[in-house]
């Protein structure tokens, strides 16, 4: 749910006609590429968000601090934070809505072939 909402907000789906007209051929996924699982979206903090009183916890500050220095995916966050998945999804959606979070979909990029 989070992934589809974020992709819809960020315009992650393009029709094939638009994709073939793109002048940036090198950044388009090649035809044989398989989509990565939705949990592989990558998050990076662009700016410090406005947090409500209940969101000002050591756990959230620690997570935001890590996200400000390195991009992380949802699975990494779930493995290292004590938040329930639905709480993490709500927080990520709030951060995206504030414009504080950059969301990178690695499925948009083609795989690098060996020997290339």
């Amino acid at each position: 749910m989070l992934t589809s909402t974020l992709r819809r907000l960020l315009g992650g789906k393009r029709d094939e006609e638009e994709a073939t007209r793109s002048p940036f051929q090198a950044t388009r996924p090649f035809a044989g590429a398989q989509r990565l699982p939705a949990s592989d979206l990558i998050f990076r903090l662009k700016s410090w968000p406005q947090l409500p009183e209940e969101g000002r916890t050591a756990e959230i500050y620690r997570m935001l601090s890590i996200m400000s220095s390195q991009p992380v995916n949802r699975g990494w966050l779930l493995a290292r934070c004590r938040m329930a998945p639905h709480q993490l999804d709500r927080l990520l959606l709030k951060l995206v809505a504030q414009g504080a979070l950059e969301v990178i979909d690695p499925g948009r990029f083609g795989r690098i072939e060996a020997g290339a």
Side-chain angles (χ1 to χ4, degrees), residues 56-116:
R56 297 177 188 166
T57 64
E59 182 74 16
I60 290 177
Y61 280 129
R62 184 174 79 72
M63 183 179 73
L64 293 175
S65 176
I66 291 168
M67 291 171 65
S68 71
S69 64
Q70 68 185 36
V72 296
N73 67 19
R74 184 177 177 272
W76 190 93
L77 289 169
L78 283 173
R80 287 162 182 80
C81 297
R82 296 183 198 119
M83 297 177 81
H86 69 279
Q87 291 173 322
L88 178 62
D89 291 345
R90 257 187 289 151
L91 176 63
L92 293 173
L93 283 172
K94 285 179 185 179
L95 295 175
V96 168
Q98 286 186 27
L101 198 64
E102 177 183 7
V103 181
I104 304 162
D105 182 1
R108 293 176 51 191
F109 304 101
R111 285 190 227 154
I112 299 174
E113 295 182 28

Side-chain angles (χ1 to χ4, degrees), residues 11 14 22 39 49-50 69 93 100 114:
R14 298 185 308 174
S22 174
S39 63
Q50 295 292 327
S69 64
L93 283 172

